[in-house]
Amino acid sequence: MTLPRRIEIREEGPREGFQFEKGEIATARKLELIEALAQTGLRHIQTVSFVDPRRVPGMADAEAVCAGLTPHPGVTYNALWLNPKGFLRALVAPNIALEGSVSVSASEVFGRRNQNRDREQDLAAAAALMALYAQHRVPLARITIMAAFGCNFQGEVPIGAVLDRIEALLALAGGAGLERPYVSLADTMAWATPPAIQRVVGAVREKWPDLEVSLHLHDTRGMAMANAWAGLQMGVARFDAAIAGLGGCPFARHAGAAGNICTEDLALLCAESGIETGLQLERLMAAGRLAEEVVGHPLPGRVKQAGLLMANA
Amino acid sequence: MTLPRRIEIREEGPREGFQFEKGEIATARKLELIEALAQTGLRHIQTVSFVDPRRVPGMADAEAVCAGLTPHPGVTYNALWLNPKGFLRALVAPNIALEGSVSVSASEVFGRRNQNRDREQDLAAAAALMALYAQHRVPLARITIMAAFGCNFQGEVPIGAVLDRIEALLALAGGAGLERPYVSLADTMAWATPPAIQRVVGAVREKWPDLEVSLHLHDTRGMAMANAWAGLQMGVARFDAAIAGLGGCPFARHAGAAGNICTEDLALLCAESGIETGLQLERLMAAGRLAEEVVGHPLPGRVKQAGLLMANA
């Protein structure tokens, strides 16, 4: 067991949450939450996704959100895009730090259902984005392997498929003259359990000992914190998380009820395990409560309501 | 890491839940849930507590619940009591398997606030119960150390205090001519984290290598599943759990918002980690949904709504 001394938690709550929520949320309220998050010690906040507003109405104000961001030293605001069109919007958006990323699915069935792409088309789309990054001198920060731990449509995802996609993407990145990114293993459909984390992270480590691994965990089946702990025990030092568990609704009886692991709950685990995060827990909890207010319904994170230790003394 | 091959999950949902819930629940509905639980493979179901109905109105029908239980081969219905008066009620209640237990607090501050007893009084009360068990030939099945991982009122609880209480209780049990019980380490106020589980369970193991350790975990701060995993990694093979996470309410902003670890979520973790529980997941999930119906509000467990893997395929 090798716990990392320090980890980086990358906040994805605004992007995950506002994309997921059905009700309309005023741009000003989104900005209020992002500003609260910027005061917590978080260094990377994913604020919007540049996607088709007809498909994701909650992101129709992406440019307005970017324009309204308040810069802070040490805080970078990121964005998500899935194709060249989205990237070109990000390129001209104000206040957004451009970190290139590409995503492919380790499950071919999911890839076809999600993006209508097979393995080759998935990789070709990633290559097209990489070419754009090279052209615009945007670094490739990360490659994401979706469905890395299993898939609702395909079932088990062989570890070989995960390794295959990483290998192909690293080769493409090298071919495009881009520096080596880190790899984000995404538990897109919440199949991961601690033994699965051990198996998949272990296999990636064995093949590429110097490749940094990040985890993107969803709590649909209540395993996110146990999975994070399994990752920490293997020295994983980078996690995506969402304030208050944004992006999920604990009461929707559907597959979408799958918020990311909750930022402040994960930060508490780290604080009490002697792992530095640079985060201020009280402020994170306040931001978590604000997130509930902004979306207008309860959110799954626990610490924001339970309080820190001694809170009830 | 030594995962157990098989664990026993002891269901405490009916007792934890009906004790906690504010609204009145008809005896017949309680029995309906208990009967559903009895069909899941659970072998131990804690059904009621024999406490003062003026203090715990939800348990005013304890005798009626016991009378209405349907016996099933291999299923034992248990009850909780905290003093001789409660034990004497349990002694004459129908359908209840008498398993003696005593509880003391590792935190003296909590002991005083909870039961108005200091260490000596706590131990004297345990001794009085043990004498009754010996007199009525009821086995002492377990000793419970409350606040074993920390206390909202005292703060940190030294491991020495946990070991001290166990040592004193084992001596009292020996003195009363009772067989050695197992020890339940109860995270009464949800202070545990995986490193704390490792420290406390490790210290108990070191001092009494043959003493069986059980964990009673609450999810108030979102750590229950990670804590269970930490316990499993140390070979802990007995857990209390509550169907659907009964006993807590995810939306109450108070210290009581602290259901036990959720039975069906824990069972899923075990199933996917190759650990036998003897439980039927689909039936547990249905019982979890029934529990929500019976209490009339959502409960925190995740798997009951997320479904098993492939459920959305």
Side-chain angles (χ1 to χ4, degrees), chain A residues 172-210:
Chain A
L172 287 172
L178 296 163
E179 295 210 4
R180 177 180 271 207
Y182 69 89
V183 61
S184 169
L185 300 174
D187 187 22
T188 314
M189 284 159 283
W191 275 56
T193 52
I197 298 282
Q198 292 168 351
R199 281 193 300 270
V200 180
V201 173
V204 173
R205 280 275 174 68
E206 199 181 348
K207 185 147 185 174
W208 296 281
D210 298 328

Side-chain angles (χ1 to χ4, degrees), chain A residues 219 250-251 253 292 302 305, chain B residues 250-251 253 292 302 305:
Chain A
D219 197 36
F251 301 138
R253 284 225 171 83
E292 284 186 320
R302 294 295 171 88
Q305 65 214 28
Chain B
F251 301 139
R253 282 226 171 81
E292 285 186 319
R302 295 294 171 86
Q305 64 214 29

